[in-house]
Amino acid sequence: MRVLDRATKEKVRQAIDANIATLRAAEGFVSAEPGFPIVDGTVRKEPAVLVFVRHKKSSNRVLPEDLVPRQIGEYPVFVMQADPLRQVMTLEDHADVAARVTESASDLTYEKMEGNPIDASFTVSTPILCHVGPDAGWPVLKPFIEATEKTLSVAMYDFNADYIAKTFIDTVRGGEIEAVLTWDNGMTAPETQIRTKIRRSLKEQLDGWIVQCGNGYRFANAYHEKVAVRDSSSFWLSSGNWSLRSQPDIDPIGDPSSARGMYSKGNREWHVIVEDERLAKLFEKYIKYDAEGSKAEADGGDHGAVLEKPDSVQFPDLFVPIDELAMPPELAAPPTPTAPATLPSTPHDFDVRPLLTPDNYVGRIMELLKSAKRSIYLQFAYINYSDREGDEEFTKMLEVLAEASYRPNMDVRIIVGSSGASDKIRALVEAGFNEKVFRPQRNIHNKGIIVDGKIVLVSSANWSSDGVIRNRDAGVIIEEPEIARYFQDVFLDDWDNRANPRLGDDPPVTVAKDDQPTPAGMVRMSWRDYYG
């Protein structure tokens, strides 16, 4: 069976409905669904009943009365770890957040800029500064910010690193610089403190706005860009936030001793700095367009768009196993970090295509995937399959990649973050993907693609239906072989040395209550830090 079809799903669903009381007896029951199980580290392409629980334990640690039956009718039963989103969407404790997620895709008000100027191709002649995290994130970003002379326009999802805030404030205030900052509305406590500090420190120098998301606003659930435009002439664009994990305060290149354990200290990210006035002004134009949208909302009475005001409904914090954030012991030897490189090494003209969601991302990515002749390499924090009504554009994009994963003479490799990876990969295999193309890897926050070793996508867009078609994200497709090979070398090093060829149980990440103490062996993390 290559695909778990709707008719088979319905038969398994009927078996579940007839035995739901028995299945609910499982300790920490969250939900029961039809699906392909994971057996001995691989997806078994046979229909089964999957029982999701809050914290999966070995059978010898569960009381007999809390065990689920091994078989229901003709279908075997398997217990799986429920990821945090499934817990939030299913458990009554989080009904308000679940309602927000469910409603977020309805009645969105975003309108594309007249003429859709982002959907263009640019010939660039100035080399691009390519770099990756955690190897060289903050050591490159910091001097980029500090070199600002007149204007600095920033669109950011998660901004929780105090040392970045200090550099931002010192640079803007010290140089009498005009700054624009558009910021997602889902604030954590550290972000709220930084937001207040920035507003009080910069005062009239800052045009700062919260971009509200959700039902009745422009974007579904995240203003998810990571772009900074300096002096309307150059820009930094990344998969990574201005956060502790995306831009850790380490310098493995300048201080080789800090390379030990660097993959536990920070996420895998891809970044570029592009010196091109036309592209810089284009991204800046959209940042200001989004700021104007928030100003219009504030003028209409929505004070949540003003930088000082708090957000309302928040995703809960999570308890994450410490082991999930640390690389396995066999990988703990100091790695050789990848140094930044200004490429191409011999300057020449090459094409760059800017991307924004929801404006032109899907169309450009479809073109990119369909253009592949030999290889498609993807590295994403997660890929969430969906075939729901309204998600057709995203579903078709996944179908193109699924077909390529079985194509002879096409080398498809997909690295996804280990957070909930087994469940997400299982769902993709059910929908027609070749299970052999996937490997999970810890601490992946990247959202990049390399095609044929010649073209690379650097972006902030996660592969979910909201991330691709209803949120605000930014990216660039760079058609230059030397630049593509720079990122491809990093990808293949991850594939060979850090990604896992086998699927294991997803980590027991659980939803935390506000006043709940952190259990032993766990770390409390914000939802934003975990999913990014």
Side-chain angles (χ1 to χ4, degrees):
M1 176 178 284
R2 182 157 155 176
V3 175
L4 185 59
D5 59 79
R6 291 182 182 274
T8 303
K9 281 186 179 180
E10 181 56 31
K11 289 180 181 179
V12 181
R13 173 61 65 190
Q14 290 172 3
I16 291 171
D17 291 344
N19 295 272
I20 191 63
T22 300
L23 298 174
R24 284 184 179 277
E27 182 180 358
F29 176 88
V30 173
S31 65
E33 303 170 15
F36 286 160
I38 295 173
V39 181
D40 296 330
T42 60
V43 180
R44 178 185 290 176
K45 296 183 178 181
E46 298 176 1
V49 173
L50 306 181
V51 177
F52 292 90
V53 297
R54 294 191 202 204
H55 189 160
K56 183 181 176 182
K57 303 175 182 177
S58 59
S59 58
N60 60 4
R61 294 181 58 201
V62 180
L63 294 172
E65 59 267 28
D66 293 330
L67 291 169
V68 296
R70 294 191 176 187
Q71 191 89 8
I72 288 181
E74 61 183 294
Y75 304 111
V77 179
F78 294 86
V79 176
M80 294 191 65
Q81 172 67 40
D83 70 7
L85 185 59
R86 184 180 263 103
Q87 294 176 47
V88 164
M89 295 300 293
T90 306
L91 301 174
E92 286 297 324
D93 295 351
H94 311 287
D96 56 341
V97 180
R100 174 183 172 179
V101 174
T102 302
E103 294 171 358
S104 66
S106 60
D107 299 325
L108 298 181
T109 63
Y110 179 70
E111 295 182 2
K112 295 180 180 180
M113 195 180 292
E114 185 175 355
N116 201 25
I118 197 69
D119 196 29
S121 183
F122 292 77
T123 300
V124 173
S125 56
T126 304
I128 290 174
L129 178 54
C130 307
H131 51 302
V132 299
D135 311 49
W138 178 231
V140 175
L141 174 60
K142 186 174 188 288
F144 173 83
I145 296 172
E146 291 174 332
T148 306
E149 296 180 353
K150 296 179 180 179
T151 60
L152 185 59
S153 301
V154 178
M156 193 56 53
Y157 172 65
D158 186 353
F159 188 170
N160 70 27
D162 196 63
Y163 46 89
I164 301 180
K166 182 180 186 305
T167 298
F168 181 81
I169 292 169
D170 289 347
T171 299
V172 173
R173 186 167 53 187
E176 297 184 356
I177 289 161
E178 295 180 4
V180 177
L181 174 60
T182 49
W183 199 341
D184 179 77
N185 65 312
M187 296 285 172
T188 61
E191 285 185 283
T192 300
Q193 294 171 3
I194 288 173
R195 176 179 54 184
T196 302
K197 185 185 298 184
I198 288 174
R199 170 58 78 185
R200 290 176 178 173
S201 299
L202 299 182
K203 299 177 182 177
E204 298 305 316
Q205 285 182 262
L206 177 69
D207 186 15
W209 295 94
I210 298 297
V211 180
Q212 295 284 358
C213 300
N215 183 26
Y217 289 102
R218 286 164 289 165
F219 309 110
N221 58 48
Y223 185 75
H224 202 250
E225 276 187 272
K226 302 98 168 59
V227 178
V229 181
R230 184 184 67 194
D231 297 331
S232 303
S233 61
S234 62
F235 65 94
W236 169 94
L237 185 148
S238 174
S239 62
N241 297 295
W242 285 8
S243 68
L244 299 172
R245 290 205 58 82
S246 289
Q247 312 295 335
D249 191 9
I250 58 174
D251 185 5
I253 305 295
D255 176 17
S257 65
S258 67
R260 179 177 292 277
M262 71 180 190
Y263 292 114
S264 299
K265 297 172 185 174
N267 299 328
R268 167 64 79 217
E269 310 279 7
W270 292 356
H271 326 278
V272 290
I273 292 177
V274 181
E275 302 278 351
D276 185 272
E277 185 175 342
R278 297 161 305 156
L279 277 165
K281 286 183 175 179
L282 180 61
F283 277 114
E284 185 173 51
K285 184 176 182 180
Y286 275 91
I287 292 172
K288 292 181 177 179
Y289 182 68
D290 292 342
E292 290 166 2
S294 290
K295 183 179 185 300
E297 290 169 355
D299 290 343
D302 186 351
H303 299 295
V306 182
L307 201 58
E308 293 95 334
K309 300 298 179 181
D311 185 29
S312 53
V313 179
Q314 294 282 345
F315 279 90
D317 286 349
L318 303 173
F319 290 136
V320 181
I322 293 174
D323 290 346
E324 172 64 10
L325 302 177
M327 297 303 289
E330 63 269 22
L331 300 179
T336 301
T338 299
T342 301
L343 301 171
S345 52
T346 302
H348 62 83
D349 291 349
F350 56 94
D351 289 337
V352 175
R353 295 183 287 280
L355 305 181
L356 283 176
T357 63
D359 305 67
N360 72 329
Y361 182 92
V362 172
R364 289 297 192 184
I365 297 302
M366 288 282 275
E367 291 174 0
L368 179 63
L369 297 176
K370 290 180 178 180
S371 73
K373 300 294 191 296
R374 301 188 310 275
S375 63
I376 306 174
Y377 300 155
L378 295 91
Q379 190 176 52
F380 277 80
Y382 55 82
I383 302 177
N384 290 344
Y385 180 77
S386 175
D387 60 359
R388 295 176 302 179
E389 184 178 354
D391 293 351
E392 290 82 4
E393 287 182 287
F394 179 54
T395 307
K396 290 177 182 177
M397 195 174 78
L398 291 176
E399 288 172 350
V400 169
L401 186 58
E403 186 275 329
S405 73
Y406 277 102
R407 195 184 308 162
N409 302 318
M410 178 65 73
D411 180 14
V412 177
R413 307 187 197 190
I414 304 174
I415 297 174
V416 294
S418 60
S419 304
S422 293
D423 187 26
K424 293 176 174 62
I425 292 170
R426 173 196 60 76
L428 291 165
V429 174
E430 289 174 10
F433 275 79
N434 184 343
E435 71 277 13
K436 297 178 182 178
V437 305
F438 293 100
R439 289 188 180 183
Q441 181 181 334
R442 293 183 181 181
N443 300 332
I444 294 298
H445 189 257
N446 188 23
K447 305 94 170 47
I449 304 174
I450 307 134
V451 169
D452 293 340
K454 296 180 179 179
I455 310 172
V456 61
L457 164 75
V458 178
S459 82
S460 65
N462 288 313
W463 270 26
S464 66
S465 53
D466 280 344
V468 165
I469 59 181
R470 288 185 285 269
N471 290 339
R472 169 63 99 211
D473 274 288
V476 284
I477 294 174
I478 304 168
E479 192 165 350
E480 205 292 317
E482 201 172 355
I483 293 174
R485 286 195 298 270
Y486 174 90
F487 290 103
Q488 180 170 282
D489 287 346
V490 175
F491 175 92
L492 292 174
D493 186 55
D494 281 343
W495 179 270
D496 292 336
N497 297 308
R498 280 167 287 281
N500 195 332
R502 293 175 59 82
L503 302 179
D505 286 337
D506 287 330
V509 178
T510 56
V511 176
K513 296 180 180 179
D514 289 342
D515 56 352
Q516 186 177 356
T518 302
M522 307 285 271
V523 174
R524 191 181 189 109
M525 292 183 68
S526 73
W527 189 281
R528 291 160 75 85
D529 276 345
Y530 187 70
Y531 280 109

